[in-house]
Amino acid sequence: MKVTIERSAFLKALNHVQSVVERRNTIPILSNVLIQARAGEIRLSATDLDVEVIETVPADVAQGGATTVPAHMMHDIVRKLPDGTQLQIEQGADTGRVSIFAGRSRFALQALPAEEFPGLTAGEFSNNFAVQASDLKTMIERTRFAISTEETRYYLNGIYLHAVRAEPADKLRAVATDGHRLAQFELALPLGAAGMPGVIVPRKTVLEVHRLIEDRDASIEISLSQSKIRFGFDGIVLTSKLIDGTFPDYERVIPKHNDKVMDVDTKLFAQAVDRVSTISSEKGRAVKLHIGSGKVVLTVNNPDSGSAEEELVADYDATDIDIGFNARYLLDIAGQLEGDTARFMLADAGSPTVIRDVVDDSALYVLMPMRV
């Protein structure tokens, strides 16, 4: 194998694929990136056996071939080379070594046989559809914070992606919950997504896809089967296993009849929560909201450090209510609202509260209250 490639193009591709490689591996080949050289291009592949990323980049291929080298080490070498450098990657008769030449620098890396590199067999995909990159990125941003990190409830460790019937048009909906809060985002159902299975996309896959999306105007091809999902865009193909589990009936926990409505300035509310929560304990993080006619009063009482109180103007004309929330969760949700006004739909101090952006009905959030 003998390949010449420009440093920045190679670094960009390496940066994309190496992030799925775990730093510690009991299987040596999984620490490596597969390099396949053929006419006019090289293909880089990396996997952790659950997620696989493949990227193809143009290159001057004098002699084709395939090998694997340590992913993070190769990335660090290329990252530290001067910008504009031309890299030459060679493997001769000694298949256990790969040489890298760049200007006056020369590196020799241990290599493992390409034949040993595992591929993520995808099988047949039952549904294929395209989504605008900006829509997919927004969908991930609005829901990922609510993904559970509790490994015992593994079926909550991802985003539930599914088609729903709605008027006037069906929707593609993403839902994430950790049992304390729920985030839901939807967009128009793409052509080809009708009849798709409801799938749980793992947290790592969600974060990788979000990281890889650089061109928000691109179109992303999504393919689905019962056990795998594939994203294709900009010369990159990411294939992932799905979480094998049943996502809970989340619609049962979304209140339909919360009749106490409070509208408050999103930015001012978030800043007030942030200020008063400075006093709260790291463990509890509880902030109490006293909602009355035309105002909301935020208070925090911490026996160890003191108390804080702040009053805000709010549009509210129902009966007074006192309710407590985790300050961190309130800030996470407020951070997703792009409009000027946040709408809280409440029932009582012990029931879930629905939070929405007044000017955007594509997202919905549910927050469980705390005792304060």
Side-chain angles (χ1 to χ4, degrees), residues 127-132 135-140 143 159-167 169-175 183-199 201 220-224 229 231 250 361-363:
N127 291 82
N128 299 277
F129 54 92
V131 173
Q132 193 75 11
D135 288 339
L136 184 61
K137 194 156 183 134
T138 301
M139 178 177 270
I140 291 171
T143 54
I159 289 177
Y160 181 48
L161 195 65
H162 58 301
V164 291
R165 291 197 170 278
E167 293 294 339
D170 293 348
K171 302 287 187 182
L172 178 66
R173 182 181 290 172
V175 179
Q184 172 186 300
F185 183 86
E186 56 189 23
L187 46 87
L189 190 69
L191 195 65
M196 65 175 272
V199 298
V201 186
I220 298 183
E221 297 288 333
I222 300 178
S223 303
L224 278 175
I229 187 167
F231 301 87
Y250 67 90
D361 62 359
S362 58

Side-chain angles (χ1 to χ4, degrees), residues 29-270:
I29 195 75
L30 294 182
S31 297
N32 284 19
V33 58
L34 172 65
I35 303 175
Q36 296 168 294
R38 50 197 178 196
E41 64 182 30
I42 62 170
R43 189 165 101 151
L44 304 177
S45 307
T47 184
D48 65 357
L49 297 182
D50 289 320
V51 183
E52 175 188 73
V53 178
I54 299 172
E55 182 159 1
T56 305
V57 284
D60 181 4
V61 180
Q63 183 179 346
T67 189
T68 79
V69 293
H72 296 303
M73 188 174 292
M74 178 67 122
H75 177 260
D76 285 346
I77 288 169
V78 177
R79 180 175 57 83
K80 293 174 182 178
L81 291 171
D83 202 15
T85 304
Q86 291 288 320
L87 274 83
Q88 195 167 304
I89 304 167
E90 290 184 22
Q91 186 176 49
D94 181 6
T95 56
R97 312 273 290 182
V98 170
S99 298
I100 303 161
F101 302 93
R104 297 186 178 185
S105 302
R106 180 183 184 279
F107 302 88
L109 299 182
Q110 296 281 359
L112 291 173
E115 307 81 58
E116 293 182 11
F117 194 83
L120 206 59
T121 308
E124 289 294 315
F125 290 106
S126 58
N127 291 82
N128 299 277
F129 54 92
V131 173
Q132 193 75 11
S134 56
D135 288 339
L136 184 61
K137 194 156 183 134
T138 301
M139 178 177 270
I140 291 171
E141 287 168 352
R142 298 286 174 83
T143 54
R144 62 180 174 178
F145 71 92
I147 297 174
S148 174
T149 55
E150 193 180 322
E151 297 301 329
T152 53
R153 303 171 78 188
Y154 65 93
Y155 48 85
L156 298 181
N157 295 162
I159 289 177
Y160 181 48
L161 195 65
H162 58 301
V164 291
R165 291 197 170 278
E167 293 294 339
D170 293 348
K171 302 287 187 182
L172 178 66
R173 182 181 290 172
V175 179
T177 182
D178 59 6
H180 303 289
R181 62 236 170 116
L182 178 145
Q184 172 186 300
F185 183 86
E186 56 189 23
L187 46 87
L189 190 69
L191 195 65
M196 65 175 272
V199 298
I200 309 172
V201 186
R203 183 196 314 109
K204 182 174 181 178
T205 304
V206 166
L207 300 181
E208 282 300 323
V209 170
H210 183 268
R211 193 183 63 83
L212 289 170
I213 296 172
E214 294 175 350
D215 180 5
R216 295 184 74 98
D217 295 324
S219 178
I220 298 183
E221 297 288 333
I222 300 178
S223 303
L224 278 175
S225 72
Q226 291 290 346
S227 60
K228 303 270 194 339
I229 187 167
R230 174 172 285 173
F231 301 87
F233 53 99
D234 294 337
I236 304 169
V237 177
L238 183 149
T239 307
S240 169
K241 291 179 181 177
L242 296 165
I243 292 176
D244 183 12
T246 302
F247 201 78
D249 183 6
Y250 67 90
E251 293 197 57
R252 291 176 58 189
V253 303
I254 300 176
K256 303 292 192 291
H257 306 292
N258 284 13
D259 57 353
K260 297 179 176 67
V261 178
M262 176 185 73
D263 287 350
V264 66
D265 184 291
T266 306
K267 188 176 180 181
L268 295 179
F269 179 77

